[in-house]
Amino acid sequence: MISYTYIIGLVISYLQNPLMTGAVCALAPVVMGASFYEAHTQRSYEHKTLHAHEQCNIILAEAVKELQTVISLGQQPFFESNYAKATDDAHVIIKHKAIFASIGYALNQGFIMFVVALALHLGAGYLDDGSVDATSMYVCLLCVLVSV
């Protein structure tokens, strides 16, 4: 379904104005690269976060298992310090994920805004030249920006 939308949008855009379609499609790899960076950051940190939470659960399960013995009362500070250390690692990983995912999202949105601004600038130039009318320029812009 997505490929049909992509193909039909590009065909409609190309029929309206081939030059603008080519210019915007030339910048599509930059937008795709920024989207890939954002998605890659999200996926890579999911695994690290999952592993950190598993460590917390192991320590917690150990503490609950030992809770029923009298000897374990002396080991409570040991379990508390291990659990605090495990949760600190998880929090550091989540902080790093938030920072890098925010950078990826900002890159993605920034490049999309740049492509839209460039397409509008290009369209305004074509309107001034008289090589395209306003309706076909907007149809081309909407089709190519939605499909790419």
Side-chain angles (χ1 to χ4, degrees):
M1 183 69 180
I2 293 174
S3 61
Y4 291 126
T5 305
Y6 179 73
I7 292 169
I8 290 171
L10 287 180
V11 167
I12 292 171
S13 177
Y14 185 78
L15 292 175
Q16 295 295 323
N17 191 347
L19 293 174
M20 246 167 54
T21 304
V24 173
C25 286
L27 294 172
V30 175
V31 174
M32 287 189 291
S35 298
F36 172 76
Y37 176 75
E38 180 186 5
H40 174 69
T41 303
Q42 293 282 351
R43 280 192 310 259
S44 68
Y45 276 100
E46 282 176 7
H47 176 69
K48 292 176 186 174
T49 306
L50 181 65
H51 181 68
H53 285 297
E54 284 176 1
Q55 293 296 330
C56 294
N57 289 338
I58 289 170
I59 293 169
L60 186 61
E62 234 178 272
V64 168
K65 189 169 39 172
E66 294 291 324
L67 186 64
Q68 298 170 358
T69 65
V70 176
I71 300 170
S72 68
L73 293 176
Q75 294 179 345
Q76 184 177 352
F78 170 75
F79 286 120
E80 287 177 356
S81 66
N82 281 349
Y83 187 72
K85 182 180 177 242
T87 55
D88 286 344
D89 292 342
H91 289 286
V92 168
I93 291 171
I94 290 171
K95 263 191 223 175
H96 285 265
K97 175 187 175 186
I99 290 168
F100 289 116
S102 296
I103 290 170
Y105 182 75
L107 282 173
N108 189 16
Q109 293 300 308
F111 284 133
I112 288 173
M113 288 182 195
F114 174 72
V115 169
V116 169
L118 186 66
L120 283 172
H121 178 70
L122 206 62
Y126 289 143
L127 278 174
D128 287 342
D129 291 348
S131 60
V132 67
D133 62 335
T135 305
S136 65
M137 182 196 76
Y138 286 118
V139 169
C140 175
L141 280 176
L142 287 175
C143 288
V144 77
L145 291 175
V146 167
S147 62
V148 173

